[in-house]
Amino acid sequence: MTVESAPKKTIDIVVPAFNEEACIRAFYERTTRALAGLPYAFRILFVDDGSTDQTAEECLALGRTDPRVGLLRFSRNFGHQAALTAGLDLADADAVITLDADLQHPPEKLPEFIAAWEQGAELVSGVRRRASSMSLWKRLSSALFYRFLNAISSSKITPDAPDFRLLDAKVVRAIRRLREQSRFLRGIYSWVGFRQVEIFYDEENRKAGGSHYGTLDMLFFALRAVTSFSRAPLRLSTYVGLCVSGLAFGFGVYAVVQNVVFHQVIRGWTSLAGLVSFLSGVQLLTLGVLGEYLGQVLEESKQRPLYLVAESHLPELSAPKRASGREPPSSDA
Ligand code: UDP
Ligand code: MG
């Protein structure tokens, strides 16, 4: 390793944690071991997303023995995406790494991420080669979802790339400028561009506890992804509306001709009833799609902060860099 007189490059590691008391210490140990000996100044920033267990206490205890460990505690649970956002807002390093506290993202891969960054990559993404004990249902629905999303949106999102990333400071600054409420960071990473590199890894089983994302959560996550990254469903409802109105008009003409020319009044009731219910179905569906987008506009227009900070214990930040055009974390309660 070369000995440099220049100050070491800095790397901040952002770790969202929600009820992960049993994982924090193991995470810390494996991560510091994986990075030991590398010529960088590291900090580990845990973002406690409103945990109700001892997660924050575990992080604070680590911080007392290792000054590189910091904690940001949210006032309540704001979700994984908000926790990652807070970490990106606070980080103040040449590169930022994000990974899960449950050790499903092996920290031993980080030297490879850093090497790719040193070779010029601006955004390094971990891509899952072997999924852990993920159920067949979760794997299948996720694969189908990404295929669908990529078909209808202009940003291409790599399937199997969760939030296991290394971002150059440039990318972090770019992402800080996107303050949308309805956050889907995987889409945002793809949208911002930059030189991207993918690194494969084998996902491990969760160290302790269970996943916080059930099928319903995944469904809402998917809906958020679609409505924030594609307007195709809106357009689709217009097309379906047009087609169905055309058909309905044709049927109206047919009904009038039947009545006036052939005096057939009672016959056709079945088709009429069928048509009415079909049309109401299409209308409700269209209204639902509109409602989803309108709801999103409403959320955005409130311009609420993406998270609220209750407590922050941060390792020393290099003061001059803090003025780098970033918004301070919102801590107004
Ligand atoms: N997480 C969080 N807030 C939440 C849910 C999860 O910060 O509301 C964290 C969690 O502690 C973990 C990461 O996000 O570090 C991924 O969550 P999880 O393991 O539950 O999701 P999965 O890996 O099953 O998709
Ligand atoms: Mg997990």
Side-chain angles (χ1 to χ4, degrees):
M1 226 140 276
T2 53
V3 181
E4 295 158 324
S5 53
K8 285 178 179 173
K9 286 190 186 171
T10 52
I11 298 184
D12 280 347
I13 300 171
V14 169
V15 193
F18 176 52
N19 292 341
E20 304 282 10
E21 59 181 4
C23 297
I24 298 295
R25 191 160 289 271
F27 173 89
Y28 166 80
E29 272 156 19
R30 267 180 66 181
T31 306
T32 44
R33 207 176 314 131
L35 300 175
L38 294 182
Y40 300 94
F42 294 102
R43 292 192 310 172
I44 300 181
L45 304 176
F46 287 104
V47 183
D48 175 9
D49 186 12
S51 300
T52 49
D53 65 357
Q54 300 294 307
T55 300
E57 286 70 17
E58 283 288 320
C59 300
L60 288 175
L62 287 174
R64 279 192 288 273
T65 54
D66 185 343
R68 297 171 300 174
V69 176
L71 166 72
L72 193 69
R73 189 170 66 78
F74 281 180
S75 61
R76 64 167 169 85
N77 179 257
F78 280 90
H80 186 206
Q81 304 289 299
L84 286 170
T85 304
L88 294 182
D89 285 346
L90 267 178
D92 178 37
D94 298 311
V96 177
I97 289 171
T98 61
L99 78 171
D100 289 355
D102 59 11
L103 285 169
Q104 285 195 286
H105 303 155
E108 290 73 23
K109 276 275 167 189
L110 293 182
E112 252 179 77
F113 278 51
I114 296 168
W117 171 55
E118 288 291 6
Q119 281 160 23
E122 290 159 323
L123 204 168
V124 186
S125 306
V127 179
R128 198 160 42 207
R129 181 170 40 203
R130 186 184 67 82
S132 59
S133 50
M134 220 190 203
S135 67
L136 184 68
W137 158 245
K138 203 165 171 176
R139 230 174 301 166
L140 204 72
S141 54
S142 153
L144 274 175
F145 163 67
Y146 281 106
R147 183 160 289 205
F148 171 69
L149 187 61
N150 280 332
I152 62 171
S153 115
S154 51
S155 311
K156 290 290 163 260
I157 298 163
T158 317
D160 285 327
D163 299 291
F164 183 22
R165 318 255 172 169
L166 180 147
L167 292 76
D168 184 84
K170 283 194 272 285
V171 183
V172 177
R173 277 196 296 275
I175 291 178
R176 275 187 202 135
R177 295 176 57 194
L178 308 176
R179 304 308 294 176
E180 60 222 59
Q181 299 281 327
S182 175
R183 286 181 98 66
F184 177 58
L185 277 168
R186 291 165 207 189
I188 289 180
Y189 294 137
S190 139
W191 183 87
V192 293
F194 293 99
R195 271 200 299 274
Q196 306 208 4
V197 165
E198 292 175 351
I199 287 185
F200 287 94
Y201 74 98
D202 294 327
E203 188 174 78
E204 295 182 17
N205 289 337
R206 218 173 200 292
K207 180 84 180 70
S211 169
H212 302 100
Y213 289 99
T215 303
L216 212 58
D217 298 311
M218 299 306 289
L219 190 72
F220 285 122
F221 189 65
L223 201 62
R224 184 201 295 180
V226 170
T227 51
S228 55
F229 274 86
S230 168
R231 261 173 283 160
L234 272 180
R235 230 165 290 144
L236 183 74
S237 49
T238 314
Y239 291 146
V240 172
L242 274 175
C243 289
V244 172
S245 326
L247 286 175
F249 181 74
F251 186 78
V253 173
Y254 166 78
V256 170
V257 170
Q258 281 287 313
N259 193 343
V260 176
V261 183
F262 303 107
H263 306 291
Q264 307 257 21
V265 184
I266 301 301
R267 266 191 61 212
W269 180 85
T270 318
S271 51
L272 197 65
L275 199 70
V276 167
S277 44
F278 174 64
L279 278 179
S280 341
V282 169
Q283 278 173 1
L284 284 178
L285 185 77
T286 312
L287 279 177
V289 171
L290 281 176
E292 278 304 318
Y293 282 92
L294 193 66
Q296 198 160 313
V297 171
L298 180 71
E299 280 309 309
E300 299 295 337
S301 68
K302 287 187 198 158
Q303 299 211 324
R304 290 194 179 162
L306 298 170
Y307 53 85
L308 296 174
V309 175
E311 243 183 276
S312 68
H313 305 266
L314 296 174
E316 276 304 293
L317 291 167
S318 41
K321 273 203 194 152
R322 290 211 69 179
S324 56
R326 155 200 53 210
E327 295 173 34
S330 357
S331 53
D332 42 315

